[in-house]
Amino acid sequence: LTVLQIVRAHAQLNLRDAAGVKAIGNRFLFLVSDNDNNDPICTSDTLINILENVVALYHGKHNRNITISFFKAASSLLLQDSSTPSPLLKQLDIGQIISLTLCLTHAHYSHYHLIHHLGTQTLHHSPSHLPPSATATLLSSFSTLLLNSHNATRPLVLDLFRHWGGNLLSAKITPADASAVLYAAAKSDYYSDLGIFDYLAEVLARDAPHATTKEVSLGLWACGKMTAWDGFGGDSSPPYAPRAEVLAEELCRRREELKGRDVAQALWAL
């Protein structure tokens, strides 16, 4: 059986065999490391399918010891000499890059060179070919990965927002997408286009009753973070301030279901 077949079977059957999955990851890493040929041992689709099945079973920082070998193997396949893009990485299309970054995010795997090259490669793709929801996933995932991997990555985060941000001005954007990008923009200190931020705040405020409590609280925190920027103060207020009030009111209506983090974020924003 191949590595993909084994991890897919585990995921489909929901087999919680941590030791077994970890052993498969170690074997996968050995096969990649022991490959002396210039050709990779698997295709990009196979690699992404392996990672997707692994994180479906074990995601989060607390499971990192189980998944780490799979992602080390992926880094070896996608990079040459640990820092230069491999031919396999250069062949990835935008959908594959998004799928890969989602896996990296779920696994809490941080590799500066890998994430930087993946982000840079997205800038060579036309924004017109990517739906708003996929754009939101791209921006929120890369913001998390880049800002967690290296302080020097902030310029790339800003480039990603400039390149892809216009896609978010769409009627098809969902409250979940709006909340994710608002939070990512605020964490990234992306102040260059407050028109997009205001539009996303409007979407979230309009559909707040249908959003989750976490989405509402993250959106409110993002508004507070942006307002704290030195561009506003005194008698001036940002255009999204009325949207923030709507989000705060929605949280008040849900006060019985608020968690500690929701309360802390709301209080900080207000």
Side-chain angles (χ1 to χ4, degrees), residues 13 22 24 83 86 92 96 106 159 180 191 213-214 219 221 223 234 247:
L13 297 172
K22 184 176 181 179
I24 297 166
S83 60
S86 72
L92 296 175
Q96 291 174 320
H106 292 324
D159 286 341
Y191 305 119
T213 300
K214 180 179 179 180
W221 179 88
C223 289
L247 297 178

Side-chain angles (χ1 to χ4, degrees), residues 166-259:
N167 276 15
L168 302 171
L169 297 174
S170 167
K172 296 181 179 180
I173 202 80
T174 67
D177 294 333
S179 174
V181 179
L182 286 169
Y183 184 70
K187 279 198 70 175
S188 305
D189 295 329
Y190 180 65
Y191 305 119
S192 299
D193 196 337
L194 291 178
I196 294 176
F197 190 91
D198 184 41
Y199 176 76
L200 295 175
E202 181 181 0
V203 169
L204 184 57
R206 183 185 64 225
D207 296 330
H210 307 294
T212 66
T213 300
K214 180 179 179 180
E215 290 163 357
V216 175
S217 65
L218 287 178
L220 180 58
W221 179 88
C223 289
K225 176 70 161 53
M226 285 297 207
T227 306
W229 177 49
D230 289 341
F232 298 107
D235 296 330
S236 64
S237 61
Y240 46 83
R243 289 55 152 148
E245 292 178 9
V246 172
L247 297 178
E249 291 169 358
E250 180 64 30
L251 288 179
C252 287
R253 283 191 285 271
R254 304 185 190 190
R255 54 187 174 274
E256 297 298 327
E257 61 184 81
L258 294 179
K259 296 181 179 179

